[in-house]
Structures are given as structure tokens and as C-alpha cells.
Amino acid sequence: ELDHQLFLTVENFGNEPSQARVEVYLDDEITGREELALESGASSPLVFELVGGEAGTLRVELHARGDQLPADDEAWALLRPAERRKVLAVGVNALALKVLSSDPRLVVDYISPANYTSSAGYHCTFFEGYLPNKGLDGANYAVLAPPTTGGPVELGPEVRAPQVLDWQRTHDVLRFVDLTELHVARGRKVVTDGTLQTIVEGDQGPLILAGERHGGRVLYLTFDPLQSDLPLRVAFPVMLLNAATWMTEGLGGSDVGGLVATGSSYTLPVPGTDPVVTVIKPSGKRVDGVVTAGLLRFNDVDESGVYFVDTPEGRISFAANLASRRESRIVPMRDLGLGHAEAVKVASAAAGRREIWRELALAGVVFLLL
């Protein structure tokens, strides 16, 4: 069985140093404990080893002195038996194929575009410079180089030497990916239908897009990696393996999946024709989830913990966490940023009601004297 590692980060958002204890539980049985000291504003990454083959609910508890926000002291994840995920590579270059095949979690099959018929039976598919005209609705796939026609975006004219302006460092595909001074020889302008969002922004338009489309997860590069220096960077293999994990997260071959942030929505393909499924929240409250066109989009993720969804094929679970550094930082701010306006300085002032009757009475007396 493949072993697991649990990565987590503890951060002190307070103004004073703090002593903390981190405990990791698997189905209420403690599997790890760590003591640490954190200075104000400091963070500490932690790694816990988990034995392969184990499954259940992971819960992390933080115990810290003087903690003022208990709501973010617990986090949950769902640990499933590690299974190898089936990946289909269609026409991808030799370097990308070698990267994908190096991951022991993946079983990679390669075929040429001329021999491609379907992605059925695979958890995700990587295409390069080619996309079929149909059959991809609900599928998880990545486009490593824009095809001549078709796909989830409308292709525009070619652009020369696009420059990276920024990228979403928190997106799962771009975790630990550094695109500073990435050089791209040429790319394509694209027009999306709104289902894909820009995760790497260039000075002439999107360079990489990602999102959910018809119930599947899609990654789209608007340039050919071989027409850039991306394959020469560590970012290339990291991004490819991140993409494989992101596309298969929460599916049958995923070992840890179904993770969402509180306040966001959870989507799940649901077979059958039943328009309503039952969702059980961490508090035990049962609510209805509406299924539209075979897809559940549950927006009432307002509690931290494990949710259960009863579908025609059985019960599926997912975990929600308060994973927001902005919400955890409860120290009063000295500068308030209001959109594009200048920052507002927070200054102390005496607040109260000003009584003006005395001024009015004095004015009346002066008027009478005159």
C-alpha cells in the first residue's frame, strides 16, 4: 500500500508569542502530536506520516494559549485507501509523458490522436495540440497546447512573446509553482464562455485557464509549453502532477478528496433522475440538495466538518474547513483598503453627540439685543 503524508501549516495571527500543541486523529484515534512555539505573525509547516491502506476521517486539533478564535482550531480531511488513478495521454510530448509516468499513484496509457476514440474508463485525460469534437462533457481533461479548432474556448489570433503578469498561487494546479520571468515565444488569444477562469494572467490575455465544465474539471494552456522555457523549470513537473491530482480529486481513484472551504459550493455528479438528494451537515441537520442535469451544486456549506450526501449509488462524504487566512486574522487593522480608493487610516477619536442648543440660544439673545 502507498503511504500518505499529511501536510499542514500552523500560523500565529496574534500580537504575542504563543505555545501550541497540534494533534492528529484518524477516526477519533490519535496518530500524531507536535509541540511548537510560534512568534507573533510566524507560521510553521508540519508533516505527519500516515500508514498506507488506512481510511477514515482525519481531524486536526490545535490547542494554543490565549487563542481568541476557536473556530479555526480544527480541520478535517477524508482519507481513503490509496488507489492508482488511470490517466490517458493523447499525443503529449515525451517529457510530459515521463513526468506523469514517474508518479507511482498514476497508471498512464499513451495513444496518438489518430487512435483516440474515448476517455471512458480513465480518471483524466491529457491532450496536446488536439481535442475531439465531442464526447468530453463531464470529463476531466487538460489541454497542454491549444488545438487548431474546438475545445472549451474560442481561439483568437496568435500573440508574440506574452509576459506573465500574475498567477493564482493558491489554486491547486499552481501550488509550489513559480512562474517568475517565464518566457513564452507565442500563444493564442482566447474567448471563454465563463466556465473557465484565468489562473495565469498574461499581458495579452489568459495564459492558463481552469475550472469546472459540465461536471468535469478542465485545465487549458493557451500556449505550447515546448514554445517556452517552462519544460526547463521545476514548475513544469510540479504543475503536471498537481493537475492530475486536481482533476481526479474526490473521484474513485483519489486517496484524499472532497475538500472545500466553508462559504463555497460543493459540486458532485449524481447518476439517476432523482432531482433531490439528502445532504447531512456536520451538526446532523438534514437538508435537500437539488440536482440539475445530473449535477448537484450544494451552496449551503456553512459549517466546518464532514458532510454526507445520500445518492442513488450510496453515501458520499466531503469535508469543509475554515481555510481563510483573512478570516483568521482578527487583529484590528490600521489601514482599511476600500476597493481602488486610497487606504483609510484608523485614528482614535472621541465619539459622541454634539449639542447645539446653546449656540442657537446665544444667537437668539444677540438678535433680541440688536
Side-chain angles (χ1 to χ4, degrees):
E1 295 287 351
L2 297 175
D3 289 340
H4 299 88
Q5 287 183 316
L6 174 64
F7 296 87
L8 58 94
T9 301
V10 181
E11 186 165 354
N12 180 8
F13 293 98
N15 290 325
E16 301 293 336
S18 177
Q19 299 288 329
R21 183 177 74 256
V22 177
E23 296 175 347
V24 179
Y25 293 86
L26 178 60
D27 288 340
D28 297 326
E29 182 178 343
I30 191 167
T31 62
R33 179 187 286 113
E34 186 80 23
E35 301 279 348
L36 66 158
L38 288 176
E39 297 294 328
S40 173
S43 62
S44 176
L46 300 175
V47 180
F48 292 91
E49 300 290 339
L50 302 173
V51 178
E54 292 185 339
T57 300
L58 279 171
R59 185 178 80 257
V60 179
E61 292 185 0
L62 173 67
H63 304 274
R65 298 176 183 175
D67 193 344
Q68 301 297 318
L69 186 64
D72 64 353
D73 291 349
E74 286 187 310
W76 288 264
L78 303 174
L79 181 62
R80 298 163 184 162
E83 299 177 10
R84 303 186 73 185
R85 310 165 200 181
K86 297 189 67 176
V87 176
L88 180 62
V90 182
V92 303
N93 63 79
L95 179 58
L97 183 62
K98 185 175 182 179
V99 170
L100 294 171
S101 302
S102 68
D103 192 330
R105 303 171 301 167
L106 307 179
V107 178
V108 183
D109 292 333
Y110 172 84
I111 61 172
S112 66
N115 294 326
Y116 175 82
T117 56
S118 171
S119 294
Y122 291 92
H123 294 112
C124 67
T125 305
F126 284 82
F127 296 98
E128 183 169 329
Y130 161 80
L131 272 179
N133 294 326
K134 58 182 180 179
L136 290 179
D137 286 353
N140 302 304
Y141 63 94
V143 183
L144 298 186
T148 54
T149 59
V153 301
E154 180 182 341
L155 294 174
E158 184 178 89
V159 295
R160 295 280 182 172
Q163 302 293 315
V164 175
L165 295 181
D166 197 10
W167 65 93
Q168 291 188 24
R169 293 162 175 79
T170 58
H171 195 283
D172 288 344
V173 174
L174 300 178
R175 291 178 61 218
F176 311 113
V177 172
D178 186 357
L179 299 178
T180 304
E181 296 184 358
L182 174 67
H183 295 94
V184 179
R186 60 180 63 89
R188 296 288 294 271
K189 283 187 174 295
V190 296
V191 178
T192 73
D193 58 5
T195 56
L196 301 184
Q197 306 299 320
T198 301
I199 62 173
V200 178
E201 180 68 45
D203 60 347
Q204 302 183 61
L207 291 176
I208 302 180
L209 303 106
E212 295 186 2
R213 182 178 173 86
H214 304 304
R217 289 186 168 181
V218 178
L219 177 70
Y220 194 100
L221 275 66
T222 65
F223 64 96
D224 185 347
L226 299 183
Q227 297 292 324
S228 72
D229 62 357
L230 181 58
L232 304 178
R233 297 165 170 255
V234 176
F236 186 62
V238 174
M239 187 178 71
L240 285 179
L241 298 180
N242 282 348
T245 301
W246 174 70
M247 287 190 290
T248 59
E249 184 179 36
L251 300 179
S254 179
D255 47 1
V256 178
L259 293 175
V260 299
T262 52
S264 63
S265 62
Y266 173 74
T267 57
L268 174 72
V270 178
T273 59
D274 194 342
V276 177
V277 295
T278 300
V279 180
I280 305 174
K281 303 174 76 171
S283 61
K285 182 180 179 181
R286 305 171 74 92
V287 296
D288 291 336
V290 178
V291 179
T292 304
L295 184 68
L296 166 68
R297 187 176 295 276
F298 185 69
N299 298 315
D300 194 16
V301 185
D302 58 351
E303 300 177 8
S304 298
V306 179
Y307 292 70
F308 299 97
V309 183
D310 289 331
T311 73
E313 292 190 350
R315 173 168 287 186
I316 296 176
S317 56
F318 68 95
N321 295 299
L322 181 66
S324 172
R325 299 179 72 251
R326 182 175 181 179
E327 293 184 35
S328 294
R329 187 180 290 109
I330 61 175
V331 175
M333 300 175 62
R334 301 301 302 175
D335 295 335
L336 299 181
L338 304 178
H340 296 290
E342 294 183 1
V344 177
K345 296 291 183 180
V346 180
S348 59
R353 221 170 10 176
R354 180 185 175 192
E355 297 184 356
I356 63 173
W357 67 269
R358 292 183 177 87
E359 289 85 346
L360 293 176
L362 179 60
V365 171
V366 172
F367 176 75
L368 291 175
L369 291 175
L370 290 175

